Amino acid sequence: MGLQSFERALGNMVDSVFSRSSRSSTIRPVELGRRLLREMDDHRSVDVKGRRIVPNSFTFHLSPRDHAGFAEIEHALIHELGEAAREYARDENYHFVGPVSVEIVVDNALKPGRFGIASHLREGSVAGVSYEPAPSAPAPAAPVYTDDQSFAIVEAPQVVDPFAAAAAPPAPVAPPPVHADPAPAAPAATAIPANPDRLGSSVGRLQLPSGERVTVGHRLVSIGRLPECTVSLNDPNVSRRHAEIRPGSELTIVDLGSTNGTKVNGLRIDGERVLVDGDIISLGSSHLRFEASSASA
């Protein structure tokens, strides 16, 4: 089901339930539903398994008058908004990292008719979906409001602090096991490796702004705003095809002529740059941390 048809279905469903109860509010419930779905579209990302991950925790900020207009139906409204998020995720093949939660809070700084929304990824157990946990869970970004009476512009749901990430010690790597050779064996023919591209190649992982990690080194990894990029970033300051990480005896990052350039540890690169463990890669307003690992990982 497309976004427009889904909004129509949501509008008919919500308005029929809440038409009498929310007359004292200057915001229609369907506007909250549309903003929630748009939030999922705006902040989707791709995990290491190629799944499209979207926020699953949403907090709406309403003025005292608008909140009072929804007071009698708040629990039902929260339930319907959660159901709308889950149905839309099924239709669009989106995935959550945990259960969907919706909260409505009062913001005395808001005028009637204006509302804000803050969203973030909140880990939890979802049947049939397994994700590598993020190293930390920053608090959701505060909503930013505009004069638009229907929608509010919000900050990105989660951004990894590059300085905190750089300060974290790398995880210890276990030494390779040593196997005793009980007796000399007859020389055997040289085996052909299953994946010769991996021979002599450095490997590592990229920690994304969402906290997920993507393995790099076995293939060329493209980074940009396009959905078909290996790492797709929902950042208006990132070019459609911004940079590449190229495999080899050393992993190198190459800027692809992006508008805002690519930085490593705060310094803009010219051409390409060899990556080392702990490097912070900055593209637009997004920061990714490179973690080196052994070639057999």
Side-chain angles (χ1 to χ4, degrees), residues 14-90:
V14 175
D15 286 344
S16 63
V17 175
F18 305 125
S19 58
R20 294 192 304 272
S21 302
S22 59
R23 288 176 181 173
S24 60
S25 174
T26 57
I27 299 174
R28 295 169 60 221
V30 69
E31 295 172 358
L32 304 183
R34 289 172 179 163
R35 179 63 246 190
L36 185 147
L37 303 188
R38 180 175 166 187
E39 193 74 5
M40 294 168 64
D41 287 332
D42 288 348
H43 299 301
R44 65 180 183 266
S45 59
V46 179
D47 71 358
V48 294
K49 296 182 179 180
R51 296 187 177 103
R52 295 192 294 175
I53 306 302
V54 293
N56 62 307
S57 180
F58 307 90
T59 302
F60 286 96
H61 294 246
L62 302 181
S63 69
R65 174 181 170 183
D66 290 323
H67 185 269
F70 293 134
E72 296 181 1
I73 59 169
E74 181 172 347
H75 294 295
L77 177 58
I78 288 174
H79 172 77
E80 295 295 340
L81 289 170
E83 286 298 311
R86 284 184 282 269
E87 182 175 346
Y88 189 58
R90 288 192 296 268

Side-chain angles (χ1 to χ4, degrees), residues 56 97-99 120-125 131-137 210-212:
N56 62 307
V97 298
H120 64 286
L121 304 171
R122 178 173 295 170
E123 294 176 4
S125 176
Y131 299 98
E132 181 179 353
S136 61
S210 64
E212 304 299 328

Side-chain angles (χ1 to χ4, degrees), residues 200-202 246-252 274-276:
S201 296
S202 296
R246 298 175 179 174
S249 58
E250 293 180 314
L251 292 178
T252 57
V274 175
L275 292 174
V276 298

Side-chain angles (χ1 to χ4, degrees), residues 199-210:
L199 288 180
S201 296
S202 296
V203 295
R205 294 190 299 179
L206 284 181
Q207 180 178 317
L208 307 184
S210 64

Side-chain angles (χ1 to χ4, degrees), residues 155 213 259:
E155 298 286 353
R213 289 178 171 84
T259 302

